[in-house]
Amino acid sequence: MASYRMPFPRLLPALGLAAGLASIAAPAAAAPSQALDRISVWLGGYRADADLDLTLRESESGLDSGRLDVGDFKDTVGRARLDFLIMDSQGFSFDYYGLSRDRSLTLVEPFSFGGTDFDANAVLDTRLQFDVGNAAYRWWFGGDQTVFGFGLGAAWYRLDARVRGEATFDGQTVTATERYKDDAVAPLVQLGWRHAFSDNVRTYIDISGVKKNGGSLEGHIYNGSLGVEWFPWQNLGLGAEYSVSRIKLDGSEGSYDATADIKLHGPSAYLRLRF
């Protein structure tokens, strides 16, 4: 069964504070490109086709679980974003989402972990949880209707992988549970394009990359999005987007190593606020 935690209740106070600071910092007289807003808020959901794989290794014995297929599924991932300008063509961008997946797996080959040997056909209960938040400073270049953007910042991400299994020997049941949990901060690069067909209809492309070599949790996160926005009212509108994400993380904790391979793609729908 898949379960997702919506980030909005925790993020709304932070979004409100950031929006208030942006409104204070923004010069009142100047006007940015029609493709940009002083303050932009996205609140919505990412209807993701997800493929999650997990591998556990015990470094001392060399035992390897092989690829544990945590699941291919569709569900909605809550997502929140905030952009604001502090000058006509510079500003900050924030983005957050998190997902988790629980699944029971039947082993096709023998596997050992936690000092317990599991035969083929044994059942393991797995959980894979992933959270990521981005913050970047962005520069925009272009004219009144079309702009190109470049951003530099940092991404915080967390991986929580748990495996629990039971094995029976001579009529006795032995339970073993192993957990990997760690987080890290890595450099972030963003590229963007915005075009305004009118004040009410706009389109955009966003590409971002995160890569970290070394440390207890290394790997990469790549994202690409194509979206459109429609504002039937001046400050309130709707957004639709299609996104693709590729996430590969390798972590080490104690005598265990974990590898998570996550693939996401699908449409998103947003309530859009602009000021």
Side-chain angles (χ1 to χ4, degrees), residues 109-137:
E109 295 180 357
F111 171 56
S112 298
F113 78 98
T116 301
D117 298 322
F118 293 87
D119 296 329
N121 300 318
V123 176
L124 296 180
D125 293 322
T126 65
R127 163 171 256 196
L128 183 61
Q129 184 171 309
F130 175 74
D131 300 275
V132 60
N134 299 327
Y137 192 86

Side-chain angles (χ1 to χ4, degrees), residues 43-54:
L43 293 174
Y46 180 10
R47 183 65 178 178
D49 281 296
D51 181 5
L52 280 65
D53 294 329
L54 173 65

Side-chain angles (χ1 to χ4, degrees), residues 6 26 28 51 63 74 87-88 100 126 133 145 148 150 165 167 186 194 237 245 254 267-268 275:
M6 303 297 282
D51 181 5
L63 294 172
K74 286 185 180 181
M87 289 181 278
D88 290 344
S100 64
T126 65
Q145 290 185 298
F148 298 87
F150 174 72
R194 304 278 188 275
S245 301
S268 302
F275 305 97

